[in-house]
Amino acid sequence: MEYRESPLRGRTAVVTGAARGLGEAMAVELSERGAKVALLGRERRTLVQVQETLPGESASWEVDVTDDDGMHQVAAEVRKRLGTPSVVVANAGVAEGGPFTESDPVTWRRVIEVNLVGSAITARAYLPALLEAGGYLLQVASLASIGAAPMMSAYCASKAGVESFAQSLRAELAHRHVGVGVAYINWTDTDMIRDADEYPVLRELRNHMPPPARKVYPAAYVAERLVSAIERRRSSVYVPAWLRATQLVRAAMPPVVTMFSRYELPRLASSEPFEATGLLGAGGRAALAPRRPADH
């Protein structure tokens, strides 16, 4: 599909976590609308495979979003190779599930580092370019930013953190003509979600959500709506759209979740012991791989 009139045509866009899932889908959508795309991620071979599918100009870099020096090095290389970035999508993220008391401290901390600290490092590396271009940063958050769920403490904490970080950054940069948006998304068909469904407690918790809240959306569907929001420099985007309504009942959600958990978790535990999942999906496993120097 072509988007001849897209304001993204000819602009440089950076996507973290671009090797698979939503990041891959967003890279494809941005490229189809005429953007030059820089793909960043931990899996070099997969990044190249994604890059080869893009219709427009692109380049890829293997880099860890928690590596300050590596991210700044790649930012300089992106500018040299593709031009000054005017769009940055902070999408890289990992998740783990299971009881907090049984979670591995290293794994739990890694979720916070990738999702929250990695988003801050991404912003720090690319803000000079965005300030120069009057650009736009989209922070990918989650329904978990609004309502925390049991058995997902690290993920929920990190997504609440990126929401607050993006809102703070938006206010700080408003007078400097840089837009900052927050993407609130629900279940998206990625390897992380498919892996989560292999664990009975996480599968059951999702199945106990209201029917609209448990639906899984194709990554391409979510990417199309997020890229449309980028074109409009939206301060927030909700996929599906009904997620916006959760902001109105946000204060009521913690006691409701607590009441549900008080009765349902013991019942679930009686049939299937809870266990820590470790990092979910192939992307999660890549996040635990030893860090290598930034490569392109």
Side-chain angles (χ1 to χ4, degrees):
M1 182 181 298
E2 293 188 359
Y3 299 85
R4 296 187 183 279
E5 302 304 320
S6 174
L8 297 172
R9 183 165 295 280
R11 295 184 179 273
T12 298
V14 178
V15 182
T16 67
R20 61 182 66 251
L22 181 58
E24 175 186 357
M26 292 198 69
V28 171
E29 189 71 25
L30 286 160
S31 185
E32 288 181 345
R33 300 197 192 195
K36 296 179 288 184
V37 183
L39 302 94
L40 277 56
R42 291 297 310 275
E43 301 162 88
R44 177 62 184 156
R45 180 178 300 177
T46 309
L47 284 168
V48 171
Q49 291 173 348
V50 174
Q51 182 186 343
E52 290 174 346
T53 70
L54 301 185
E57 186 178 356
S58 62
S60 58
W61 285 264
E62 181 180 355
V63 63
D64 186 334
V65 293
T66 68
D67 178 0
D68 289 88
D69 292 340
M71 286 292 283
H72 280 82
Q73 175 187 333
V74 168
E77 293 176 5
V78 168
R79 183 189 288 257
K80 183 177 180 180
R81 177 83 173 270
L82 298 176
T84 302
S86 58
V87 172
V88 175
V89 182
N91 165 74
V94 295
E96 66 145 10
F100 172 70
T101 53
E102 297 176 16
S103 63
D104 172 42
V106 173
T107 302
W108 197 96
R109 187 180 300 113
R110 185 61 176 159
V111 175
I112 302 297
E113 289 173 347
V114 172
N115 296 3
L116 177 55
V117 179
S119 290
I121 290 173
T122 299
R124 192 182 300 278
Y126 288 95
L127 271 176
L130 295 181
L131 287 165
E132 180 181 327
Y136 176 87
L137 169 72
L138 181 67
Q139 173 63 59
V140 177
S142 167
L143 175 59
S145 306
I146 300 170
M151 304 289 169
M152 297 291 291
S153 60
Y155 185 77
C156 291
S158 68
K159 290 301 184 179
V162 297
E163 179 194 35
S164 292
F165 169 69
Q167 290 174 342
S168 176
L169 201 60
R170 180 191 302 146
E172 184 175 327
L173 297 174
H175 71 290
R176 304 188 70 179
H177 310 294
V178 171
V180 179
V182 180
Y184 298 92
I185 63 175
N186 201 17
W187 302 99
T188 304
D189 187 18
T190 65
D191 70 296
M192 183 170 71
I193 299 304
R194 290 190 291 271
D195 201 6
D197 273 349
E198 296 299 315
Y199 293 89
V201 63
L202 298 182
R203 184 174 63 247
E204 285 298 316
L205 286 172
R206 181 163 73 84
N207 288 339
H208 280 73
M209 298 175 76
R214 72 176 77 131
K215 182 177 179 181
V216 178
Y217 293 85
Y221 171 90
V222 178
E224 189 278 329
R225 281 148 182 79
L226 297 192
V227 174
S228 292
I230 290 172
E231 289 182 327
R232 295 165 175 79
R233 297 171 63 93
R234 293 282 176 80
S235 60
S236 60
V237 52
Y238 297 83
V239 184
W242 63 260
L243 279 183
R244 184 181 298 273
T246 61
Q247 296 282 16
L248 302 176
V249 296
R250 184 171 190 155
M253 292 177 73
V256 171
V257 172
T258 298
M259 182 174 63
F260 162 83
S261 301
R262 181 177 291 121
Y263 293 102
E264 285 299 314
L265 290 185
R267 185 187 67 79
L268 293 173
S270 67
S271 60
E272 189 76 36
F274 297 155
E275 59 179 358
T277 67
L279 293 182
L280 297 168
R285 290 186 285 276
L288 285 178
R291 181 187 293 173
R292 295 168 53 185
D295 180 42
H296 70 282

